[in-house]
Amino acid sequence: MTLQTEQPPTQSSTERLDRQMIVILDFGSQYSELIARRIRETQVYSEVLSYRTTAEQLRQLSPKGIILSGGPNSVYDSNAPHCDPEIWTLGIPILGVCYGMQVMVQQLGGGVERAERGEYGKAALIVDDADSLFAEVVNGVTMWMSHGDSVTSLPEGFKCLAHTDNTPCAAIADRTRQFYGVQFHPEVVHSLGGQVLLRNFVYQVCACEPTWTTEAFVEEAIREVKARVGEKRVLLALSGGVDSSTLAFLMYRAIGEQLTCMFIDQGFMRKGEPERLLKLFKEQFHIPVEYVNARDRFVSQLVGVTDPEDKRKRIGHEFIRVFETESKRLGPFDYLAQGTLYPDVIESADTNVDPQTGERVAVKIKSHHNVGGLPKDLQFKLVEPLRKLFKDEVRKVGRSIGLPEEIVNRHPFPGPGLAIRILGEITDERLNILRDADLIVRQEINRSGTYHELWQAFAVLLPVRSVGVMGDQRTYAYPIVLRFVTSEDGMTADWARVPYDLLETISNRIVNEVRGVNRVVYDITSKPPGTIEWE
């Protein structure tokens, strides 16, 4: 987990949360977010900014250190991205990673050329000149390489610190100016000494303090919500997942009865989940939730619909209509609380600003279903206390404020719910069959202790029937597909090698307990080429 739990910080340390910052300048690397997460694992705040960020903008942020990410380009290409050359005059420690190291070398007067032999994958790193950057990094440790270019000459003031068999300058430094470069990727899990190196940069080179803690974040978030919202009313669309549940708890702690939580039951939730959610918030958290039963409205929109994209669009459109109607009934509201997370902030260019106030206004609803934009005439101002956090940090915060493990470690669940785990047309019969099968899956993987080893585990209902024999009688019923996968982040996934005994137990229970099913199969497709969800 990236946020660490320790004693509550003093007021002064809480105020320094964003000042104890490492900035990552992104040159298009697929690992830029991962660098930020690794820095946060050291209990120091980090942000990802564009490589176009100017030196003056960085000076105003006053970070303790800067990391230049990797990237797909070659620095000598005519259109290659480069950073503002004035950043070298800021007096801030800088670490260049892969392409970032090559940018540093080229802009400071060194040479970078196409290597005779590229280097990809694991390589043993030989440390030639031990430095604070390499404190406690084992000589000969495996690091992950991915480059076709290499440094051919160093800028004035630099020296090589390490090499590999194929790369003479695998790490460099100008100790006077505290500029460092590594040709490998310390942020990836394959670099066995990578986190130690990053920690050394954060603490030994940049002299950061460990202020990015769970308790400090919660205090800061509550203070900021109070200051932003004042006495105004806030609406929050609750789904029961970890993001919206953590958001609801924080908001209620900050503003109490000024918060209205709305749960829209669209009829595609798992068995017992709406009732469990409402009971949990009412009895354990004492947070009132406005329940909206819109099951018939949503199901009626999907009659005869089989195309998965059409399903999503119809569900999204209906959610907007229900949200619009219910928000007017319960309102008026000045603010919409959204569970925007830091990856959304990095990736989203859909930021709309009120020209009168300069505040962001809502055109998307992300906290409930991620299914589509709100009407532009619903001009809520946004309050987004989780927007600095990665998913694993939200889980850490949720656990620290008392959310039960069933919410904190809940597997990802699609916004359209079971509607996209039933292939073909949605009917009440099929929904009931899948709910019963899904419940058995959840019960058995929890009973076996494998739930937390899996990224997702769920059932899919196929719109075909096959012949079976039950009690000496011919049956003609639906098959259930079991989809269990392991993953680090959901971007790629592999099918889970769960025990056969577990699969046998689940299969036997589904066939014997769920009317309308006579066959269970197991999906052994990875992502790619398949997706995790079937639709």
Side-chain angles (χ1 to χ4, degrees):
M1 307 305 289
T2 55
L3 286 179
Q4 304 297 316
T5 303
E6 59 183 40
Q7 293 301 312
T10 63
Q11 180 70 15
S12 60
S13 66
T14 303
E15 291 173 348
R16 289 200 305 269
L17 274 176
D18 288 355
R19 296 182 196 175
Q20 294 289 319
M21 182 201 310
I22 302 294
V23 166
I24 296 96
L25 294 186
D26 180 18
F27 286 89
S29 172
Q30 60 180 319
Y31 299 130
S32 293
E33 286 186 24
L34 183 56
I35 297 174
R37 290 176 62 184
R38 295 291 183 246
I39 297 301
R40 293 188 184 192
E41 288 175 5
T42 71
Q43 296 178 250
V44 172
Y45 183 67
S46 61
E47 284 193 5
V48 178
L49 302 177
S50 167
Y51 72 90
R52 297 185 179 90
T53 304
T54 66
E56 181 55 34
Q57 289 171 324
L58 290 169
R59 184 180 289 110
Q60 292 175 11
L61 288 173
S62 190
K64 300 284 285 185
I66 299 169
I67 296 178
L68 311 180
S69 82
N73 300 92
S74 293
V75 293
Y76 46 76
D77 290 342
S78 59
N79 61 346
H82 291 84
C83 55
D84 183 347
E86 292 300 314
I87 74 166
W88 313 112
T89 67
L90 293 174
I92 299 173
I94 299 176
L95 171 65
V97 174
C98 198
Y99 180 85
M101 167 176 155
Q102 295 166 8
V103 166
M104 176 184 292
V105 167
Q106 187 198 55
Q107 290 194 239
L108 292 176
V112 178
E113 296 179 6
R114 186 71 180 174
E116 290 186 9
R117 293 180 59 187
E119 194 170 25
Y120 304 94
K122 299 176 181 179
L125 185 74
I126 307 303
V127 179
D128 303 305
D129 188 345
D131 181 90
S132 56
L133 191 68
F134 287 96
E136 299 184 14
V137 175
V138 177
N139 197 8
V141 71
T142 296
M143 294 294 188
W144 185 262
M145 292 285 189
S146 181
H147 66 102
D149 297 333
S150 289
V151 171
T152 55
S153 61
L154 292 176
E156 184 178 352
F158 279 82
K159 65 182 303 182
C160 282
L161 300 181
H163 72 277
T164 68
D165 286 345
N166 290 332
T167 304
C169 283
I172 62 174
D174 179 336
R175 294 189 176 100
T176 301
R177 292 183 286 180
Q178 293 187 296
F179 294 163
Y180 292 84
V182 293
Q183 189 58 73
F184 49 88
H185 286 273
E187 69 275 17
V188 302
V189 67
H190 306 292
S191 290
L192 302 184
Q195 187 62 12
V196 175
L197 185 145
L198 290 174
R199 187 177 184 87
N200 288 338
F201 178 72
V202 168
Y203 287 110
Q204 302 295 329
V205 178
C206 300
C208 289
E209 298 176 26
T211 59
W212 183 244
T213 65
T214 303
E215 291 80 3
F217 171 80
V218 171
E219 286 186 20
E220 180 192 45
I222 291 174
R223 186 174 62 251
E224 289 181 352
V225 167
K226 287 180 176 179
R228 178 169 174 77
V229 171
E231 302 299 321
K232 304 293 186 180
R233 296 186 66 201
V234 180
L235 177 64
L236 187 157
L238 185 67
S239 71
V242 63
D243 297 344
S244 68
S245 297
T246 301
L247 177 64
F249 198 96
L250 278 175
M251 293 296 298
Y252 192 75
R253 184 180 291 187
I255 61 174
E257 299 300 324
Q258 295 168 240
L259 175 69
T260 296
C261 292
M262 182 201 302
F263 173 71
I264 299 176
D265 184 353
Q266 81 310 41
F268 308 131
M269 300 292 287
R270 290 165 162 171
K271 191 167 188 175
E273 278 196 334
E275 297 80 6
R276 169 63 178 154
L277 175 69
L278 295 173
K279 182 178 179 181
L280 182 69
F281 271 77
K282 179 180 179 180
E283 296 182 2
Q284 183 169 333
F285 297 153
H286 308 292
I287 300 175
V289 178
E290 292 285 342
Y291 173 74
V292 179
N293 186 344
R295 296 180 181 182
D296 291 342
R297 289 186 57 168
F298 279 89
V299 173
S300 67
Q301 290 296 316
L302 298 184
V303 173
V305 177
T306 60
D307 180 76
E309 287 306 307
D310 195 11
K311 286 183 189 178
R312 289 178 180 272
K313 289 177 181 178
R314 286 171 178 258
I315 293 170
H317 180 270
E318 193 62 22
F319 178 80
I320 292 167
R321 298 277 74 83
V322 174
F323 184 90
E324 181 179 40
T325 299
E326 297 301 322
S327 63
K328 289 179 179 178
R329 177 179 67 85
L330 298 170
F333 297 99
D334 298 281
Y335 286 91
L336 174 67
Q338 286 201 146
T340 305
L341 302 188
Y342 192 50
D344 301 324
V345 175
I346 295 173
E347 297 166 6
S348 176
D350 190 20
T351 300
N352 293 270
V353 179
D354 185 322
Q356 301 299 319
T357 66
E359 294 181 304
R360 291 184 66 210
V361 295
V363 295
K364 283 189 176 179
I365 179 67
K366 297 180 181 178
S367 54
H368 188 85
H369 286 303
N370 300 308
V371 290
L374 288 172
K376 291 184 178 180
D377 57 348
L378 285 180
Q379 291 295 312
F380 298 110
K381 298 171 186 175
L382 296 184
V383 56
E384 302 169 301
L386 305 183
R387 71 192 314 271
K388 292 181 179 180
L389 302 185
F390 288 103
K391 187 75 168 187
D392 54 345
E393 294 175 316
V394 175
R395 295 187 192 279
K396 185 72 175 178
V397 169
R399 186 175 289 111
S400 76
I401 60 180
L403 288 177
E405 285 299 312
E406 66 182 273
I407 290 181
V408 171
N409 283 320
R410 183 179 188 242
H411 286 175
F413 188 68
L418 299 181
I420 60 168
R421 291 180 179 174
I422 297 173
L423 275 65
E425 184 178 3
I426 306 300
T427 66
D428 287 333
E429 178 199 23
R430 292 177 178 181
L431 280 168
N432 289 331
I433 289 174
L434 185 56
R435 281 197 188 94
D436 289 341
D438 175 85
L439 179 61
I440 291 171
V441 170
R442 287 185 288 142
Q443 289 174 339
E444 292 302 328
I445 62 174
N446 274 297
R447 186 175 290 122
S448 67
T450 59
Y451 183 91
H452 299 306
E453 298 174 7
L454 303 171
W455 176 264
Q456 280 179 264
F458 56 90
V460 176
L461 177 67
L462 299 185
V464 296
R465 296 176 191 259
S466 65
V467 174
V469 178
M470 300 176 70
D472 294 327
Q473 297 292 320
R474 177 185 183 274
T475 62
Y476 193 56
Y478 292 109
I480 287 290
V481 178
L482 302 180
R483 180 66 161 151
F484 299 176
V485 299
T486 57
S487 178
E488 290 289 330
D489 53 15
M491 300 301 294
T492 61
D494 194 12
W495 61 277
R497 276 68 168 175
V498 295
Y500 288 165
D501 288 347
L502 174 59
L503 295 177
E504 181 181 33
T505 299
I506 293 173
S507 176
N508 286 340
R509 284 197 60 192
I510 290 176
V511 170
N512 283 283
E513 298 176 30
V514 181
R515 289 179 60 88
V517 175
N518 67 357
R519 192 179 298 272
V520 176
V521 299
Y522 191 57
D523 183 348
I524 58 170
T525 311
S526 62
K527 175 188 177 181
T531 55
I532 295 177
E533 298 288 346
W534 274 51
E535 288 192 344

